Amino acid sequence: MNIKEASEITGISSSTIRYYEKEQLIPPISRNESGVRQIDNHIIRRIQFVKQMRAAGMGIDILRNFIYLFESENDSKKEQLKILKEQVQIMEEKRDDLQSAINHLHFKINNFDTHMEDTEKELKNLENNSK
């Protein structure tokens, strides 16, 4: 299939697929006699893998290193696992920060009337005292 078809299947733009190839996140894509990229199922699976890892917040350099370790002939399972655990920790910290902000917004919503009255009174008192 060509790059447009791969884009439609994966939900990744053609330019992003070309970028992934340039950054060596996916294997080099073969071309036909006319120079058109010919993408097979192996490349599609790799694009989907990269998409998932990027959605998990993994940076390009870390992902490239992870792929390098995966493709190497050395036993790199411990290093790969370390990268995955670090990424989970980063994502959990982001989730916790986001959950804290969501909780704060829920508090504001649930206490909107009373909280707003108290806050407005406090601000008015500060304005009057500063005059």
Side-chain angles (χ1 to χ4, degrees), residues 16-113:
T16 301
I17 292 172
R18 287 189 289 273
Y19 175 73
Y20 287 171
E21 182 182 20
K22 178 180 153 265
E23 292 296 321
Q24 300 173 347
L25 299 177
I26 61 175
I29 301 171
S30 62
R31 296 173 184 253
N32 66 16
E33 313 80 47
S34 303
V36 175
R37 287 177 172 86
Q38 296 297 298
I39 298 174
D40 61 18
N41 286 331
H42 172 72
I43 300 288
I44 293 293
R45 286 194 312 274
R46 178 63 72 83
I47 292 168
Q48 291 169 331
F49 169 76
V50 171
K51 179 181 176 181
Q52 290 171 333
M53 299 308 275
R54 295 288 293 140
M58 190 173 283
I60 296 293
D61 291 337
I62 295 168
L63 183 51
R64 188 183 306 108
N65 185 44
F66 183 84
I67 290 169
Y68 170 78
L69 291 170
F70 174 76
E71 292 177 340
S72 74
E73 294 182 16
N74 301 328
D75 183 18
S76 60
K77 290 179 184 175
K78 287 182 182 179
E79 292 175 70
Q80 288 175 287
L81 188 58
K82 180 182 176 209
I83 290 171
L84 294 174
K85 286 180 178 182
E86 288 171 354
Q87 193 61 41
V88 166
Q89 183 177 356
I90 290 167
M91 293 302 291
E92 287 175 343
E93 288 171 5
K94 287 181 182 181
R95 179 207 55 210
D96 294 345
D97 290 344
L98 187 57
Q99 188 61 55
S100 177
I102 290 169
N103 292 345
H104 184 72
L105 288 172
H106 279 297
F107 173 80
K108 293 256 187 215
I109 292 166
N110 294 334
N111 299 287
F112 186 78
D113 291 331

